[in-house]
Structures are given as structure tokens and as C-alpha cells.
């Protein structure tokens, strides 16, 4: 418990002193990808996202969801109903019980540093890359769904029906589990994830959390941000501000 | 004790073949259901991304838990050296193996990709309690099979105590492992309790013994072999104690959760306002599966009556099944607390709906049928059952 809270407290204190820097750039920039193309996967990087719910409009979130669907090819399942439909990223509306403040946010796999889904997966199909991106290896997944039981963010979906016309980079298949990949196929080419690219403001920032010169790193240093269910100590790669 | 003679059952009667045929049909129906579910995908089931584990898992875990419990009779005999239970040891081992086989069949056939079972057998993530369970289940087959061999083979009899000890320890670890499947789900309030693993062990005692008693009484009745009151009454008392212990653990578990502020939500849901789950808990698990069987076992009017003991065992099995339903399905139906202190207006939350589809139920029943078929066949081909368990045979101190 203390570890994460300390981190948040730390961010809070820092933000008080350096608040001025918070509003520097606007317009989505991907400067973190300086030397693009086929960057090696190393643990010197940790890919992450910062979602500012004060700036993110509902239309932005809808755009993120459809960008994800288009990029990864989910959402047009014919037979799955209700909760059987996949939801790699979804729009959430939450109200603070004390203040009554309503926030809208996009929720996807949080790319936990200590991912429960990876811990419980019997076959190592759920795995975390060195750069922090959590993925499912579709050739190892036996469809036991234990990872779905373990994920605190309801981030994973089980493919409930036969699919056709899958994207080449995303071999989705019946009987296996899937979730947000942080568009690893794009990130590895130096591009931003589809959802991030779809937003026309800096409401969503993507980048290397470790890189002190990255926008995400600098922004996190200056504003107050939070992890969802920080009490679980999973040290998520996706952070939120304004909630 | 040396006058215990084990003998195969004849297994030639019309009744025997009818039983096997009936069970065979249930197993075939289960396989048909699996084909249907795997061919179309899980959309034809009631399961979803919210109710990830459905009725097949209730059956599977129930059978696996009962399996380890069914071994208890043998353990009491060889580990605690209680002579009365000795003639029952072989059957106890057999019921344990059969129930486990049935449970595993259901578990494996509900996988999204059962065809990749080989992956599960070759790729191990040693951090995963699930992977450990696969090892524990396979090991249980080996350990109990060796134990049975020691009991069957006269020359090996002297090792049967040691083998029994190993099997007993193994089964305790196995049930702990099964209970721990839930212990690792940190984000789900319903499972956030240390008591889960010991509670599963006690549950296994009760469910396993209930199965054992039913199978014992049925096989002696149907083969016209004598089964004396000494054995039956002893088992009946033991069953009563186990059921009481389960109820005690259930009470501690729920009281504990009520005190833990962060879990009161799910507790209120199960105990008071969870609709179907609340009803199942009180009427099914507590009254039908706990209070009534205890009354049947201990009330002077029904005590010692075999039909009533049979009824009590059936109710314990039904109640146990309901208990796992409430734990597994109820625990998932209640939403996770994504934003403590905040209310989710859209996008997630609410109680997830689930209604089991026919193929799911048929798969589960097929698992039970497989277990009973295995017992039925093996008692025909190997000498599992003492020819007589009449009081003067079973109890060396019996004065008739
Ligand atoms: S959010 Fe869920 S699926 Fe994603 S890494 Fe964390 S536990 Fe795994
Ligand atoms: S469903 Fe697949 S990825 Fe998830 S725990 Fe099971 S094998 Fe691993």
C-alpha cells in the first residue's frame, strides 16, 4: 500500500512546486519516438500513457474506442451478446461520491508492472515485455480465463465465436483471450498507439515513462496523477489525471 | 481383520447394464455438448466476459474438492490406524480417483482451446497456482494409484501405511491448491479471505464422504452384500461432524468479511440483497445442504435410518454444489470495485447476469456420470469391495 501512495504523495508535492510547467505544449506530439523504426525491446524503457480526464471529451473517448476497433479489428462480432462482446477499451463515466464531480475516461489494459494476469497464467501465454507492455501469446493461450478472473480492471475479453478477416498483425482467434496491446505493432515501428493518435489534443500522452526528457515523464512530474486501484500496488503503465 | 475378503462384483445383471448404459448416454451427451460449444464458441453458453467461469467450473471444482475428500476414509484407516475403516480403504481410493477424473474432464473440456491441452502439460508458469494444480492433480492420480497397489498386493501391504501418509498429505496440499485458485484473485472482494483454503479442505471432507457413503450403500444394496450398522453409523456420525464444521467455517468466513469494511459490499450482496444468490445461499447452501442433513443425521427419529442417511448425503452434495455456485458465480456477478469512493455511472458495474445454458449443464453432469461409470466398471474388474461388511466382520470387537 505505502509504496504507491508514497509515489502519489511524492507527485503531489512535486506538483505544488512546479505547477507552472504543466501547461507547456498542446497538440499531440510524439517526440518520445526520436529515433524511430525497430527500436529494441529493452527494460530501459517503460511504455505508458497519461490520460487527462479534464481535457478528454466524451467524443474523444468514442474516437479512441473506434480507432482501437479499426486498428485491431474487433467489435464486429456477429453472435456475441452483451457482456460476451469484446471490449479492449471502454468508456467509463464515474461520479465522485463526495464532490459529485463527473469524469469520463477510457479504460483499457493498464499494463501493470506487477500484472496479476501474468502471475496466474498457467502456460506463460500472458506475458510482459521488457518494455512493460503486457500481451497474450495466442499460440500458448488455452482459454482457461484465469487471467480474466485475476485482472482488477476488467480489461480482458474472451473470444466467444469464430472470427474471420483478422488483421495480419493481430491474429485474434476463438477460444483465446485478448486485450489492449498498446498497439505494440505500431510502437515497435516508432508510432503511437491508435487510440492516442486519434485524440486531437494532449488529453492522452504516450511515451517512455523512464525517459526524463519525454513529455509523459515531465508531465507526470508536474501534475497530480493517479493509478486506478493504486492500493493494489500493481504500478500501472496507464495513469490518469483529473480523477 | 484377516477375515476380510475382497471380491469383484458380478456385474452381469440387467440393472448393472442399465446403469452403465444410462451413465454412458450422459457422458455422450456431455461430449456432444462440448463439440457444440467448441464448434460455435462460447457465445452459445451463458458465460461472458463478466461471468468468466460458469457452471462447468462449479461442477469441476465441486468434483475435484469431493475427490480429495473421498480419500479420507482410507486416510483415517492408514494414517490414524482406525481398523474399522480398513476394509473401506480400497473403495475410498477408487472413489477419489474417479471423482477427480470426472472433475478434470469438465475442467479441460470447458477450456477455450481444449485441443491445446498439451501446451498446458508442457509449458509451466511456476508462479501460477493453476499450473501447480495441474501438477497436483496428475500427482494425485499417481500417488493414489500406488497407494491402491500397496493395498491390493499382499507383498506390498507393509508399505500401505507410508503410501497412505503420502496420499493424505498430497490431498491436503491439493485441496489447499484448489482453494488458493481464489486466494490469488486480489481484486475480487468475494475471494479476498485467507480462510478460503482451509474452508475448501473442510468442504472436501463433507462432500467426499457424502459421495462415498452413497456409493457404498448403493453398491452393497445392489449386489446384496451385507453391510452392517456399525460401519454405516460410524460414517454417518463422521458426516455429521464434517457438515457442522463446514457450517462453522462458512459462518467465520462471512462474519470476517462483514467486519472487513472493503468487503461489506459483496457480503451484503450474498447474504441479504443478492436476489438469486441470497436465496441460494440461505435456502440451498445453509438450510438444504446444512441444517436439514444435520437434522437427518442426528435427530432420534431419523438417526440410524439408511434411507435418511442417503437423503442427507444427497442433500449435502446438492448443498455443496450450490455453495460452489454461490462462491464462483456469485463472486463474479458482483462487480469489482474499480473506483472505491466513486460511483460508476456508465461502462462497467452492475450485477452481471448469468443463466447456465443446457450444454454447460450437460457437460457438468457428464463429469459426474464419468466418475460413477469408472467406479462401476472398476469394482467389476478389480476386488475393491469386501464381500461382507456385516457387523461381526467389520468390527473385531463386535459382540452380536
Ligand atoms: S490491466 Fe489487467 S490485463 Fe492489463 S496487465 Fe493489468 S492485470 Fe493484466
Ligand atoms: S486464458 Fe490464456 S492468457 Fe489467460 S490465463 Fe489462461 S492461458 Fe493464460
Amino acid at each position: 500500500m505505502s509504496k504507491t501512495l508514497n509515489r502519489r504523495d511524492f507527485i503531489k508535492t512535486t506538483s505544488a512546486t512546479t505547477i507552472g510547467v504543466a501547461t507547456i505544449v498542446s497538440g499531440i506530439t510524439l517526440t518520445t519516438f526520436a529515433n524511430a523504426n525497430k527500436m529494441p525491446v529493452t527494460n530501459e524503457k517503460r511504455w505508458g500513457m497519461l490520460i487527462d480526464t479534464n481535457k478528454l471529451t466524451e467524443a474523444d473517448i468514442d474516437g479512441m474506442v473506434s480507432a482501437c476497433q479499426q486498428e485491431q479489428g474487433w467489435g464486429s462480432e456477429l453472435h456475441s451478446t452483451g457482456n460476451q462482446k469484446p471490449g479492449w477499451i471502454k468508456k467509463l463515466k464515474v461520479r465522485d461520491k463526495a464532490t459529485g464531480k463527473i469524469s469520463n475516461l477510457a479504460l483499457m489494459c493498464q499494463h501493470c508492472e506487477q500484472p496479476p494476469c501474468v502471475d496466474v497464467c498457467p502456460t506463460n501465454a500472458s506475458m510482459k515485455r521488457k518494455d512493460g507492455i503486457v500481451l497474450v501469446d495466442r499460440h500458448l493461450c488455452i482459454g482457461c480465463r484465469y487471467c480474466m478472473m485475476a485482472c482488477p480492471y476488467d480489461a480482458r475479453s474472451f473470444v466467444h465465436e469464430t472470427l474471420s478477416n483478422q488483421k495480419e498483425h493481430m491474429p485474434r482467434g476463438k477460444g483465446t483471450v485478448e486485450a489492449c496491446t498498446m498497439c505494440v505493432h505500431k510502437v515497435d515501428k516508432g508510432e503511437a498507439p491508435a487510440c492516442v493518435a486519434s485524440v486531437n489534443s494532449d488529453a492522452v500522452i504516450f511515451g517512455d515513462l523512464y525517459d526524463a526528457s519525454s513529455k509523459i515523464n515531465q508531465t507526470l512530474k508536474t501534475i497530480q496523477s493517479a493509478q486506478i486501484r493504486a492500493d493494489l500496488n500493481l504500478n500501472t503503465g496507464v495513469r490518469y489525471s483529473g480523477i | 481383520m484377516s477375515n476380510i475378503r475382497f471380491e469383484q462384483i458380478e456385474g452381469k445383471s440387467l440393472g448393472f447394464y442399465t446403469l452403465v448404459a444410462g451413465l454412458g448416454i450422459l457422458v455422450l451427451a456431455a461430449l456432444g455438448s462440448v463439440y457444440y460449444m467448441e464448434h460455435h464458441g462460447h457465445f452459445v453458453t451463458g458465460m461472458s466476459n463478466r461471468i468468466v467461469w460458469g457452471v462447468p467450473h462449479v461442477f469441476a471444482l465441486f468434483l475435484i474438492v469431493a475427490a480429495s475428500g473421498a480419500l479420507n476414509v482410507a486416510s483415517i484407516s492408514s494414517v490414524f490406524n482406525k481398523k474399522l475403516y480398513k476394509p473401506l480403504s480400497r473403495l475410498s481410493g477408487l472413489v477419489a480417483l474417479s471423482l477427480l477424473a470426472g472433475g478434470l474432464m469438465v475442467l479441460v473440456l470447458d477450456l477455450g482451446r481444449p485441443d491445446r491441452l498439451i501446451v498446458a502439460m508442457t509449458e509451466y508458469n511456476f508462479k501460477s497456482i493453476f499450473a501447480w494444480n495441474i501438477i497436483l492433480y496428475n500427482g494425485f492420480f499417481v500417488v493414489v494409484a500406488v497407494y491402491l497397489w500397496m493395498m491390493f498386493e499382499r507383498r506390498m501391504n507393509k508399505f500401505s501405511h507410508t503410501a497412505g501418509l503420502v496420499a493424505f498429505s498430497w490431498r491436503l496440499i491439493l485441496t489447499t491448491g484448489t482453494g488458493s485458485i481464489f486466494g490469488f484473485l486480489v481484486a475480487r472482494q468475494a475471494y479476498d479471505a485467507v480462510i478460503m483454503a482451509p474452508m475448501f479442505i473442510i468442504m472436501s471432507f463433507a462432500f467426499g464422504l457424502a459421495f462415498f457413503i452413497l456409493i457404498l450403500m448403493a453398491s452393497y444394496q445392489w449386489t446384496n452384500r451385507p453391510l452392517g450398522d456399525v460401519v454405516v453409523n460410524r460414517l454417518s456420525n463422521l458426516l455429521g461432524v464434517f457438515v457442522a464444521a463446514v457450517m462453522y467455517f462458512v459462518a467465520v468466513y462471512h462474519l470476517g468479511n462483514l467486519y472487513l469494511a472493503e468487503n461489506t459490499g459483496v457480503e451484503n450482496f450474498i447474504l441479504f440483497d443478492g436476489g438469486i444468490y441470497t436465496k441460494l445461499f440461505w435456502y440451498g447452501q445453509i438450510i438444504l445442504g446444512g441444517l436439514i442433513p444435520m437434522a437427518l443425521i442426528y435427530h432420534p427419529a431419523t438417526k440410524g435410518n439408511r434411507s435418511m442417511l442417503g437423503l442427507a448425503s444427497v442433500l449435502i452434495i446438492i448443498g455443496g454444489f450450490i455453495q460452489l455456485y454461490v462462491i464462483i458465480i456469485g463472486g463474479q456477478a458482483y462487480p469489482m470495485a474499480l473506483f472505491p469512493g466513486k460511483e460508476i455511472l456508465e461502462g462497467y458495474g452492475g450485477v452481471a447476469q448469468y443463466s447456465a445454458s443446457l450444454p454447460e449443464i450437460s457437460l457438468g453432469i457428464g463429469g459426474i456420470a464419468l466418475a460413477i461409470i469408472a467406479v462401476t466398471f472398476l469394482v467389476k474388474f478389480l476386488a475393491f469391495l469386501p464381500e461382507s461388511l456385516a457387523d461381526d466382520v467389520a468390527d473385531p470387537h463386535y459382540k452380536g
Side-chain angles (χ1 to χ4, degrees), chain A residues 83, chain B residues 46-48 50-51 276-277 329 332-333 350-356:
Chain A
N83 287 329
Chain B
M47 290 179 267
S48 66
R50 280 285 309 275
I51 307 289
I276 177 75
Y277 301 104
I329 316 262
Q332 293 173 84
V351 173
Q353 299 301 314
Y354 173 76
S355 56

Side-chain angles (χ1 to χ4, degrees), chain A residues 83-85 93 95 118-122 124 138 141-146 149 152 158 160 174 229, chain B residues 38-39 42-43 45 47 49 52-53 110 112-113 116 125 127-129 181 188 337-338 343 345-346:
Chain A
N83 287 329
Q84 291 177 336
K85 290 205 169 80
K93 196 188 268 297
R95 180 172 58 205
V118 172
D119 285 349
V120 302
C121 175
N124 292 315
R138 263 142 247 268
C141 176
I142 56 173
C144 69
R145 286 104 81 201
Y146 196 20
M149 292 290 281
F158 180 67
H160 284 77
K174 177 178 71 182
R229 288 300 311 262
Chain B
E38 297 299 335
H39 178 73
H42 274 61
F43 81 86
T45 72
M47 290 179 267
N49 293 326
V52 170
W53 287 350
D110 181 64
R113 298 294 305 261
R116 288 190 182 157
N125 168 16
K127 269 183 112 178
S128 165
I129 189 74
I181 289 178
R188 302 206 180 243
L338 275 182
E343 184 188 356
L345 303 175
E346 261 173 47

Side-chain angles (χ1 to χ4, degrees), chain B residues 277-340:
Chain B
Y277 301 104
T278 303
K279 288 202 186 82
L280 284 173
F281 176 79
W282 289 109
Y283 298 130
Q285 180 182 335
I286 299 298
I287 298 181
L288 204 67
L291 297 178
I292 297 182
M294 291 234 288
L296 290 173
I297 290 169
Y298 287 121
H299 194 279
T302 45
K303 192 174 173 166
N305 178 327
R306 292 207 187 164
S307 314
M308 290 302 147
L309 176 60
L311 179 62
S313 304
V314 170
L315 291 179
I316 289 166
I317 289 174
I318 295 175
F321 181 84
I322 292 176
Q323 179 171 10
L324 281 167
Y325 190 95
V326 171
I327 292 177
I328 296 175
I329 316 262
Q332 293 173 84
Y334 191 77
M336 291 183 288
L338 275 182
F339 298 92

